[in-house]
Amino acid sequence: MTDLSLFVPGTSLLHRLPAGAKLLGLLALSIVTIWLQSAWQVGAVLALVLVGYAVAGIGPSLVARQVRPLLWFLVVIAGVQVWTSGWQMALTVVGTIVVLVLAAALVTLTTRTTAMADAVVAACRPLRVVGVDPERVGLMIALAMRSVPVVVGIAQDVRDAQRARGVRFAPQAYGVALVVRSLRQATALGDALLARGLDD
Amino acid sequence: MIEVSGVSQVYGAGAARRTVLDGVEVTLSEHRIGVVGSNGSGKSTFARLLNGLVEPTRGTVTVDGLDTVREGRAVRQKVGFCFTDPDSQIVMPTVREDVAFGLRRKGLRGAAADPVVDDALARFGLSALADSPAHTLSGGEKQLLALCSVLITEPDVLVLDEPTTLLDLRNARRIGDVVASLPQQVLLVTHQLDLLAGFDRVLVFDEGRLVHDDAPAGAVDHYRRLMA
């Protein structure tokens, strides 16, 4: 089973900071990056984010792992930017993307998912006046988090079943089976919620 | 006391019409009741009728006088339900959160729920897994969690739909032992006939009908002849 728990346990300042504060900080940082003009400014913000990683006690290999999936995107974007606006602009744009991804990952790595969900619920509270039930939003987040590993499990099952029957990868058959089984799972989940008292 | 009177259950219409239960009439007051029958005999539908998950096409089902259709909510507070596949029953990401979910109905949440949850986890031997993501548990641990999460709401009746079908022998016994020790009235649907030893009454379903209703020995005999 794929390990989907991204949280790295710890007791650092960043771990102890409330989830809401971290999310607000991330929001503020994202807004600041709009005004970043030069490569050295981006470098300064990047240094700040890396200090954050050091404070959280997260090593360089884990830092690298956050950016690695983006590598090819970054190469293409950098290429286009060098072509159209010069290497300084390319450095600024690519640097900004790296800063944002690393900062978001830092929040994910130091915050329990439940704490994150609670923060979102708290943030939704003012929406009560327009008929949004914050508890429902929290439940929705929790159900979504619970469903990710379940659907990943279904996907593996479907693939194994097709391989066992000697079918080479057939995207259509795979897609149909995955969707049908996921919908059945959703029905079962609905029954379970009803049986467990969520019937209002 | 559960009363099932004149219940028929029909799915689909026209050519696709299937009668899943046909004229079931039974009153359940015993402490331990087993339900056996072949695949497709209607026993699973019967179990789902008892907490209002399925509403009867004809007839009525009442639990302590409460109608499962009109007073479904109150009935589900009385009747806990345990599904075959714990993955479809566990609704929260971690073990602790899933157990605490059942307490929301009682208005217990957050820190107030913690001692109750800790106590329940200890009773089921799940304390060490309290903060584990639910998907990392083994099949047996998941079914124990599912059972723990249902029982924390303190239902009067527990309905279990083949709770051990996906488990190995040791885990099946573990679930069987837990079920045997419960103070609640239990209705257990199962293919594992040895779990029914010591039960007060066993119902045998076949092709949507309740065909035999007896003490375990007689009912299991009847079931074996039916399957021969």
Side-chain angles (χ1 to χ4, degrees):
Chain A
M1 175 78 70
T2 328
D3 184 23
L4 293 151
S5 44
L6 300 162
F7 176 69
V8 179
T11 54
S12 76
L13 177 69
L14 273 169
H15 282 89
R16 282 179 281 132
L17 218 56
K22 281 183 273 192
L23 287 173
L24 279 179
L26 183 61
L27 182 67
L29 184 81
S30 314
I31 294 170
V32 165
T33 57
I34 298 171
W35 289 290
L36 294 180
Q37 297 289 336
S38 65
W40 72 265
Q41 286 174 325
V42 175
V45 180
L46 182 62
L48 185 74
V49 173
L50 290 177
V51 167
Y53 274 88
V55 169
I58 294 167
S61 70
L62 202 50
V63 176
R65 215 187 301 167
Q66 309 307 316
V67 197
R68 199 172 299 145
L70 286 177
L71 199 61
W72 291 109
F73 283 105
L74 295 178
V75 167
V76 172
I77 292 168
V80 173
Q81 291 292 332
V82 169
W83 177 260
T84 57
S85 327
W87 66 270
Q88 277 179 314
M89 192 60 188
L91 215 55
T92 310
V93 170
V94 170
T96 305
I97 295 171
V98 171
V99 162
L100 287 175
V101 169
L102 281 180
L106 184 59
V107 174
T108 312
L109 291 167
T110 58
T111 315
R112 277 186 198 281
T113 30
T114 46
M116 200 98 82
D118 287 346
V120 175
V121 170
C124 287
R125 213 146 278 156
L127 294 177
R128 214 194 284 266
V129 287
V130 290
V132 176
D133 179 355
E135 293 292 335
R136 279 290 158 98
V137 176
L139 179 64
M140 196 177 72
I141 295 169
L143 285 177
M145 287 184 325
R146 163 71 187 133
S147 297
V148 170
V150 172
V151 174
V152 169
I154 291 175
Q156 283 167 347
D157 274 1
V158 171
R159 233 174 76 115
D160 288 350
Q162 292 185 342
R163 288 232 294 270
R165 289 167 61 183
V167 182
R168 268 197 288 171
F169 189 70
Q172 268 176 317
Y174 179 74
V176 170
L178 179 62
V179 169
V180 168
R181 285 195 47 185
S182 297
L183 289 176
R184 290 181 63 137
Q185 179 69 30
T187 310
L189 184 67
D191 275 353
L193 285 173
L194 201 61
R196 293 185 57 184
L198 198 95
D199 47 1
D200 43 287
Chain B
M1 170 93 87
I2 301 173
E3 284 173 274
V4 179
S5 47
V7 165
S8 293
Q9 187 66 33
V10 178
Y11 289 123
R17 190 182 152 91
R18 278 183 309 127
T19 302
V20 182
L21 285 176
D22 190 5
V24 177
E25 186 86 38
V26 67
T27 300
L28 307 168
S29 56
E30 291 78 4
H31 192 49
R32 291 287 181 268
I33 301 164
V35 176
V36 296
S38 60
N39 300 123
S41 60
K43 58 190 190 315
S44 201
T45 303
F46 177 72
R48 282 169 164 72
L49 280 168
L50 305 181
N51 72 339
L53 272 184
V54 169
E55 297 180 356
T57 315
R58 261 200 316 280
T60 58
V61 180
T62 61
V63 179
D64 293 340
L66 298 167
D67 186 280
T68 57
V69 178
R70 276 179 289 117
E71 292 141 306
R73 202 182 148 91
V75 167
R76 282 185 284 274
Q77 289 194 23
K78 276 180 178 291
V79 184
F81 197 98
C82 186
F83 296 81
T84 309
D85 182 2
D87 261 327
S88 48
Q89 171 152 10
I90 299 168
V91 298
M92 289 285 132
T94 69
V95 171
R96 167 184 296 283
E97 289 167 290
D98 194 69
V99 176
F101 179 78
L103 295 173
R104 293 160 58 114
R105 188 158 54 184
K106 290 187 174 169
L108 263 182
R109 37 185 96 214
D114 276 350
V116 187
V117 173
D118 285 335
D119 190 48
L121 288 174
R123 250 184 301 137
F124 282 79
L126 294 168
S127 297
L129 298 167
D131 291 309
S132 305
H135 66 92
T136 60
L137 270 56
S138 74
E141 289 164 346
K142 280 184 188 169
Q143 195 58 283
L144 275 175
L145 168 60
L147 206 50
C148 179
S149 294
V150 172
L151 289 170
I152 201 162
T153 64
E154 297 177 331
D156 298 333
V157 185
L158 181 65
V159 178
L160 304 107
D161 183 17
E162 297 188 33
T164 59
T165 299
L166 300 173
L167 304 183
D168 64 28
L169 195 56
R170 175 185 297 153
N171 281 308
R173 289 225 177 98
R174 227 167 133 190
I175 297 288
D177 289 345
V178 170
V179 170
S181 69
L182 295 175
Q184 277 94 348
Q185 182 184 15
V186 169
L187 186 129
L188 173 68
V189 179
T190 190
H191 289 298
Q192 274 166 318
L193 303 176
D194 51 327
L195 288 179
L196 300 175
F199 271 46
D200 304 311
R201 180 181 181 186
V202 174
L203 313 177
V204 184
F205 279 83
D206 189 46
E207 294 178 356
R209 289 171 181 279
L210 175 56
V211 293
H212 201 86
D213 181 354
D214 199 353
V220 167
D221 261 6
H222 184 94
Y223 177 56
R224 282 190 204 280
R225 276 199 306 278
L226 209 60
M227 295 296 107

